[in-house]
Amino acid sequence: MSRSIDESFLDRARQRGLAVHDQFAPKTAPPPIPASVPASVLQPGVLAARERLFALGRMADGAMNKTEAKFAAHLDMLKLAGDVLWYAFESIKLKLAPRTFLTVDFAVLPAATMCLTMIDVKGAKAIVQDDAAVKMRVAAGLFPFAFQFAFPKGDGWQIEEI
């Protein structure tokens, strides 16, 4: 099989230690399922949904997926009602340790508490990765912000405090 010039160029860039973001690169397999995952999550329908989720790959920086866009619309409604003073998408990057960062989906300033709240939006509770949950807990211990996960629930949102 012959390699194209583009593939050779990308290989040389990788060998030199350059970060290569190739939209046509093969998707990596989903991470292994930890032993701590409850048996209810391993049902065929739930597992297939998890595999489909990872098959989509990551969104580009600053681009919202459908769930995040729905949550942004929810925040817009709260802003119009005066319950939220300000919010921004992927605007704050927190350094947790050397070469370890957390970029939370939404930084929100609620009018009631005036406490900056970092909200990570997930499609379902079952798909929260262990590393995401750990990073949120570590960040909650390091920074004077409130940290939350948001999950869609019917027409509203289930908010879980960290």
Side-chain angles (χ1 to χ4, degrees):
M1 178 176 168
S2 65
R3 295 172 56 94
S4 71
I5 294 172
D6 291 338
E7 289 173 343
S8 298
F9 174 77
L10 294 174
D11 286 343
R12 287 194 310 273
R14 287 185 189 105
Q15 288 171 354
R16 292 183 179 137
L18 300 174
V20 176
H21 303 286
D22 184 13
Q23 64 181 348
F24 302 108
K27 302 291 184 216
T28 58
I33 300 170
S36 62
V37 173
S40 62
V41 173
L42 298 177
Q43 296 171 354
V46 175
L47 185 58
R50 183 175 186 266
E51 289 171 352
R52 282 194 309 272
L53 172 75
F54 285 109
L56 297 174
R58 292 187 175 265
M59 300 291 290
D61 285 346
M64 290 186 202
N65 62 34
K66 290 178 185 178
T67 308
E68 292 163 345
K70 185 178 171 185
F71 191 74
H74 171 72
L75 289 174
D76 283 334
M77 299 274 285
L78 292 175
K79 194 172 178 183
L80 285 173
D83 295 333
V84 168
L85 299 177
W86 171 87
Y87 78 89
F89 177 72
E90 289 185 350
S91 61
I92 297 176
K93 185 175 186 175
L94 303 171
K95 185 173 183 176
L96 305 178
R99 297 184 343 192
T100 306
F101 297 89
L102 172 66
T103 303
V104 182
D105 293 331
F106 291 93
V108 180
L109 185 61
T113 62
M114 293 296 290
C115 174
L116 194 59
T117 305
M118 303 295 174
I119 303 175
D120 209 19
V121 177
K122 300 295 182 191
K125 205 173 203 177
I127 63 171
V128 175
Q129 294 291 301
D130 287 343
D131 65 328
V134 168
K135 282 184 174 183
M136 289 285 279
R137 283 191 211 105
V138 168
L142 292 174
F143 298 100
F145 310 129
F147 287 84
Q148 302 173 341
F149 279 113
F151 309 102
K153 185 175 183 180
D155 290 336
W157 294 90
Q158 176 184 346
I159 304 295
E160 183 177 293
E161 298 283 333
I162 303 294

